[in-house]
Amino acid sequence: MALLSHTNLSLISMIFLSGSLVMLWFIILSGVTHTSPLRQTHFLRADTSGITGARPISQWTYFHICGDGNIDCGPARPGLPLGDAWSGNPTGAPVELIGNYGGGTTSFTFWYMWRFGWVFFLIALLFEILAFFSGFLACCSRLGSAVSGLISLIALFFLTIAVSLMTATFVKMRNAFAADGRDASLGTYAFGFAWGAWTALLISTILFCIGRHSSKRDVTPRTQSRWRRTKSTRSARSYDGRRVKEEYP
């Protein structure tokens, strides 16, 4: 059936892959602009009042640490230390978060958890872009579906690590602030986009793999009817030829 052909499966896969890419870009661009939904996108919002060098409210985004509403953001930095929200060797900050990394702002655990998570997001984004463009090959052949499925699977591997590290990092941070008697909450938009991107990529990968094992020929009801008529005509001609030979030996 046409709905099960590798061409149609590939098109559906690319739609889900596009959705995953859009949600990843929403995460990466959070804090860059004040428009929705980027303005509401952050990983963690916490009360940092009274901490040396910190804003009253801090929100952690992909490239920035911002104030309430993703305004008054600091400079964009790749893999920024989570303790960049305050000064080095601060007073008043949760002890679990403070260490010798990032200029005396961040502990060993949170320094490496988020830096690796940040890098894996970028790697996953790169492979998703490659999978998207290879998806055009998937529309043409089952081999293209296999290639796209493999690249999507690699992207899914790295995105799984990235989203898992992100979740572990900011849940632990929220718990550290809560244990210190401070209000803290996870960012609904950022977590929704991250896990939504993962889910969309998973579905896309599965569909690419199914397209690899779909029928070799895209058969529509119209082509089926034509094939049957052609087969019937050929059979009739063959029968007439045999009958003529039998009557005139």
Side-chain angles (χ1 to χ4, degrees), residues 14-27 124-125 128 159 193-194 196-202 204:
M14 291 179 67
I15 292 173
F16 278 102
L17 190 57
S18 299
S20 179
L21 281 169
V22 168
M23 287 185 278
L24 281 183
W25 280 114
F26 281 159
I27 293 173
L125 177 64
E128 281 203 44
L159 187 58
F193 289 145
W198 183 88
T199 303
L201 179 59
L202 174 64
S204 177

Side-chain angles (χ1 to χ4, degrees), residues 19-159:
S20 179
L21 281 169
V22 168
M23 287 185 278
L24 281 183
W25 280 114
F26 281 159
I27 293 173
I28 291 172
L29 295 178
S30 60
V32 175
T33 178
H34 303 312
T35 60
S36 298
L38 303 178
R39 181 170 56 85
Q40 294 89 359
T41 304
H42 56 269
F43 296 111
L44 181 72
R45 181 181 188 275
D47 173 16
T48 52
S49 59
I51 300 177
T52 306
R55 304 169 181 80
I57 297 293
S58 294
Q59 294 185 169
W60 282 260
T61 68
Y62 193 81
F63 278 112
H64 303 264
I65 295 177
C66 303
D68 191 19
N70 279 3
I71 60 175
D72 186 26
C73 298
R77 296 178 60 184
L80 78 171
L82 296 177
D84 207 42
W86 43 73
S87 304
N89 302 310
T91 58
V95 177
E96 185 180 349
L97 306 180
I98 307 303
N100 297 323
Y101 293 82
T105 63
T106 313
S107 67
F108 171 87
T109 300
F110 288 96
W111 171 265
Y112 282 106
M113 283 180 68
W114 176 233
R115 288 182 78 86
F116 277 106
W118 190 90
V119 169
F120 282 124
F121 266 116
L122 286 183
I123 297 174
L125 177 64
L126 172 62
F127 278 102
E128 281 203 44
I129 293 173
L130 292 176
F132 178 80
F133 285 107
S134 69
F136 293 102
L137 296 176
C139 295
C140 302
S141 67
R142 295 168 70 238
L143 178 59
S145 295
V147 173
S148 298
L150 177 61
I151 299 175
S152 296
L153 188 61
I154 296 173
L156 181 64
F157 171 76
F158 286 113
L159 187 58

Side-chain angles (χ1 to χ4, degrees), residues 227-245:
W227 181 74
R228 287 170 181 168
R229 288 199 302 268
T230 302
K231 182 178 179 181
S232 176
T233 303
R234 288 176 179 175
S235 298
R237 289 176 180 175
S238 176
Y239 175 75
D240 290 341
R242 287 197 301 270
R243 185 174 62 182
V244 169
K245 289 181 180 180

